[in-house]
Amino acid sequence: MTDSPNRALRVIVFAKAPLPGYAKTRLVPALGEESAAALAERMLKYTLQQCLQAEVGSIELCVAPHREHEYWQSLALPEIVALSSQGEGDLGERLWRAARRAQVTGGSVLLIGTDCPQLTAERLRAAASALQKSDAVIHPTRDGGYALLGLNRVESALFEDISWSTEVVAQQTRERLDMCNMRCDWLETLVDIDEPRDLEFLPRGWEAGL
């Protein structure tokens, strides 16, 4: 744990059910539907494991489809992991709802996905520590998005009219943070596993299972 952890911090993990033809579709040409889904499930479970090991705050798994979907109901989750639904709308609307919900309960929030195996427990702890000194923290990704957004204050402008799934997401978010007078720590650039060219960045040994 960090020396002085933020007891009110909530880590919200955004995840799609790792189902063939639904998750990691951009990897299908390289892996096929079944292997792409299997990789998505491995990254989901790995991300949750890292969140648990980091011990920086409470954990919420925010999912699509709805939490009542059979996959989520059959997934064995530790009792300390809360399960919620992303709901309708674009990614910005869904992120805003989740972040706002966390702030209403009085805490800071780390928003992450399940696409970045480089987002280890150590990096989660470092991000949580940085958030104690700044209004926000970001781990940008090589493709122009971000793997982690940490906030002590949630503003709707951070999620509105963002060009999601493009190379300008992180930059637009940074501009919004400036607009909201929020000091942001820009952490190291990581790699999301979204495209076939990203597969070389998988942890050692993962390729053998594909």
Side-chain angles (χ1 to χ4, degrees):
M1 294 181 68
T2 56
D3 291 337
S4 55
N6 182 347
R7 301 295 183 185
L9 181 65
R10 191 165 187 82
V11 182
I12 302 182
V13 183
F14 267 62
K16 292 176 67 175
L19 306 173
Y22 180 68
K24 288 292 155 204
T25 55
R26 283 180 283 175
L27 293 178
V28 169
L31 300 179
E33 287 189 352
E34 294 291 338
S35 290
L39 176 59
E41 183 170 53
R42 184 166 190 173
M43 290 196 293
L44 165 66
K45 293 180 177 179
Y46 177 83
T47 300
L48 289 174
Q49 178 189 52
Q50 297 308 302
C51 290
L52 290 164
Q53 290 179 3
E55 296 184 305
V56 294
S58 61
I59 303 169
E60 176 182 334
L61 180 60
C62 191
V63 303
H66 194 275
R67 56 175 289 177
E68 300 303 327
H69 186 276
E70 60 181 350
Y71 177 83
W72 300 117
Q73 289 300 304
S74 65
L75 183 64
L77 291 174
E79 288 186 9
I80 63 172
V81 178
L83 187 65
S84 67
S85 300
Q86 293 180 18
E88 301 299 322
D90 69 10
L91 180 58
E93 292 176 273
R94 289 177 276 138
L95 286 169
W96 159 248
R97 277 196 302 268
R100 180 61 178 165
R101 184 171 64 247
Q103 189 175 63
V104 166
T105 61
S108 303
V109 62
L110 293 182
L111 298 166
I112 68 173
T114 61
D115 300 331
C116 185
Q118 293 179 342
L119 199 56
T120 59
E122 181 180 6
R123 287 191 169 108
L124 288 169
R125 285 193 289 267
S129 180
L131 192 57
Q132 296 184 58
K133 306 176 183 68
S134 296
D135 299 312
V137 295
I138 288 180
H139 262 301
T141 51
R142 189 181 62 164
D143 61 6
Y146 55 76
L148 175 150
L149 175 63
L151 300 168
N152 281 323
R153 189 176 92 232
V154 178
E155 299 285 351
S156 60
L158 303 176
F159 306 103
E160 293 173 344
D161 299 319
I162 300 292
S163 302
W164 301 108
S165 300
T166 72
E167 71 280 358
V168 297
V169 170
Q171 183 57 40
Q172 286 182 339
T173 303
R174 189 172 196 172
E175 291 168 358
R176 301 297 179 79
L177 288 162
D178 289 342
M179 183 182 75
C180 295
N181 296 313
M182 295 175 67
R183 179 175 177 273
C184 180
D185 271 8
W186 202 256
L187 306 177
E188 69 182 300
T189 299
L190 306 177
V191 178
D192 270 347
I193 309 299
D194 287 324
E195 304 282 352
R197 66 174 181 269
D198 303 324
L199 293 171
E200 65 178 291
F201 294 96
L202 286 173
R204 184 174 301 177
W206 281 32
E207 303 93 335
L210 299 179

